[in-house]
Amino acid sequence: MRSKGFIKLHRKLRDNKLYKDSYTIHLWIELLSRVNHKANSWQYGGRLCSVKAGECLVSLFSLSDTTGIKVSRIRCILKKLITAKMITTKSTPYGTYIQIVSWAKYQNENKNCIAKPTKVAYNNNDIYKPLTKINKLI
């Protein structure tokens, strides 16, 4: 199992109506962690398989094994995610090809989208006023 790297979860996910279904969110996070973060290709059954960033080739049984969700429920959840336009799927002889629709938008390493801490201007006199009042009392 790959355990290197990280994925970004946008807070906008909480606004999605599918957020209340724990099985859907569990599968969504599994898919986000399974898709490739860069283009990749390999030999399988004498053929060259290739996927781009935000795509993966999986079997429903491997998803079931990893998440503990029944295969029939995974099929239903995938249909929900397709209807919500979060993923696209394609059946192949090697498994199910899944593409996260807005992968680049939310997972891109664009440094402009990372929130930077803002500087807060303080008036030094305001910070020390309570201390001066305490010192006068002592």
Side-chain angles (χ1 to χ4, degrees):
M1 189 75 184
R2 294 178 287 174
S3 60
K4 294 181 181 181
F6 62 92
I7 57 170
K8 298 176 187 178
L9 285 178
H10 201 280
R11 287 186 176 99
K12 196 176 201 178
L13 177 64
R14 296 181 69 202
D15 298 334
N16 193 317
K17 64 181 177 183
L18 300 176
Y19 184 74
K20 291 183 180 183
D21 182 5
S22 60
Y23 288 110
T24 302
I25 293 302
H26 187 182
L27 186 62
W28 176 247
I29 292 172
E30 177 63 23
L31 292 175
L32 287 176
S33 65
R34 279 197 183 210
V35 296
N36 289 331
H37 65 282
K38 62 182 180 177
N40 191 13
S41 59
W42 65 94
Q43 288 285 335
Y44 183 79
R47 289 190 175 178
L48 180 68
C49 297
S50 62
V51 292
K52 299 175 187 172
E55 302 172 350
C56 66
L57 187 62
V58 296
S59 74
L60 300 182
F61 295 105
S62 69
L63 285 174
S64 176
D65 187 44
T66 305
T67 60
I69 303 171
K70 294 180 182 179
V71 175
S72 59
R73 189 158 207 171
I74 287 177
R75 283 190 187 100
C76 292
I77 293 170
L78 290 177
K79 287 178 185 177
K80 285 182 188 178
L81 294 174
I82 291 168
T83 303
K85 295 185 168 100
M86 296 170 76
I87 65 168
T88 60
T89 62
K90 182 181 176 183
S91 219
T92 68
Y94 308 110
T96 303
Y97 169 82
I98 297 176
Q99 178 186 20
I100 307 291
V101 173
S102 51
W103 173 261
K105 183 178 179 182
Y106 296 113
Q107 301 297 321
N108 197 3
E109 293 184 31
N110 186 356
K111 297 189 180 190
N112 294 335
C113 68
I114 298 173
K116 294 180 182 178
T118 57
K119 292 182 181 179
V120 179
Y122 290 105
N123 185 348
N124 288 339
N125 295 333
D126 291 341
I127 294 173
Y128 298 110
K129 278 184 183 176
L131 293 177
T132 54
K133 288 179 182 178
I134 292 173
N135 287 337
K136 286 181 182 177
L137 294 173
I138 294 178

